[in-house]
Amino acid sequence: MTIALIAHDAKKELMVQFCIAYCGILSRYHLCATGTTGKVVGEATGLPIQKYFSGSQGGGEQIAAKIACNEVDVLLFFRDPNLKSPDPNDMTLLRLCDVHNVPLATNIATAEALIMALERGDLDWREIGNPSL
């Protein structure tokens, strides 16, 4: 199972703290992230993280492509709600999660709910993205 991590600049420290708190659970999964998010989380936790480009260089689009190809099972995308206008690329990520039935957390409360569901086995990787199973 692959979990993708993205955090806007104002939420990177929150993502780091989240990943430190749930390092034991996250270590059981393949993690990928946009460049800077992956770098700061990896340095803080020691978790192996496949890093793509930074968000400004197209890392979000790389993760979007992985979602479209059913190669991401969960997206943790800590968004900054104080940005003046939503980035069209961010909206594409949200839409792709809806289209491909990828569980998505855009804040820490939902991320904790998803992580706890993973811990309990409520999100069977074979069923994610394929509700007919």
Side-chain angles (χ1 to χ4, degrees):
M1 177 181 286
T2 297
I3 300 173
L5 309 173
I6 302 173
H8 284 157
D9 289 344
K11 298 293 181 174
K12 286 195 187 337
E13 182 57 30
L14 182 62
M15 179 66 81
V16 166
Q17 295 304 316
F18 175 85
C19 291
I20 289 170
Y22 293 103
C23 191
I25 297 170
L26 291 170
S27 67
R28 299 180 205 148
Y29 302 100
H30 176 257
L31 302 176
C32 66
T34 51
T36 308
T37 299
K39 180 179 182 275
V40 297
V41 169
E43 288 173 354
T45 64
L47 291 168
I49 301 172
Q50 180 181 1
K51 290 177 257 336
Y52 294 108
F53 294 134
S54 67
S56 63
Q57 295 178 335
E61 288 85 346
Q62 289 178 297
I63 290 177
K66 294 290 186 183
I67 292 169
C69 293
N70 293 314
E71 295 175 13
V72 169
D73 302 294
V74 173
L75 174 59
L76 304 180
F77 180 12
F78 287 7
R79 300 172 64 219
D80 180 358
N82 296 318
L83 292 178
K84 299 219 184 281
S85 61
D87 184 321
N89 295 324
D90 293 353
M91 300 313 293
T92 298
L93 277 165
L94 302 179
R95 185 183 71 77
L96 284 169
C97 286
D98 288 343
V99 168
H100 294 278
N101 293 315
V102 172
L104 163 69
T106 59
N107 59 61
I108 194 164
T110 308
E112 287 179 334
L114 280 177
I115 288 297
M116 295 289 78
L118 284 170
E119 175 72 358
R120 288 189 309 270
D122 293 346
L123 294 178
D124 187 316
W125 67 269
R126 290 165 290 189
E127 293 179 12
I128 294 176
N130 191 355
S132 64
L133 289 178

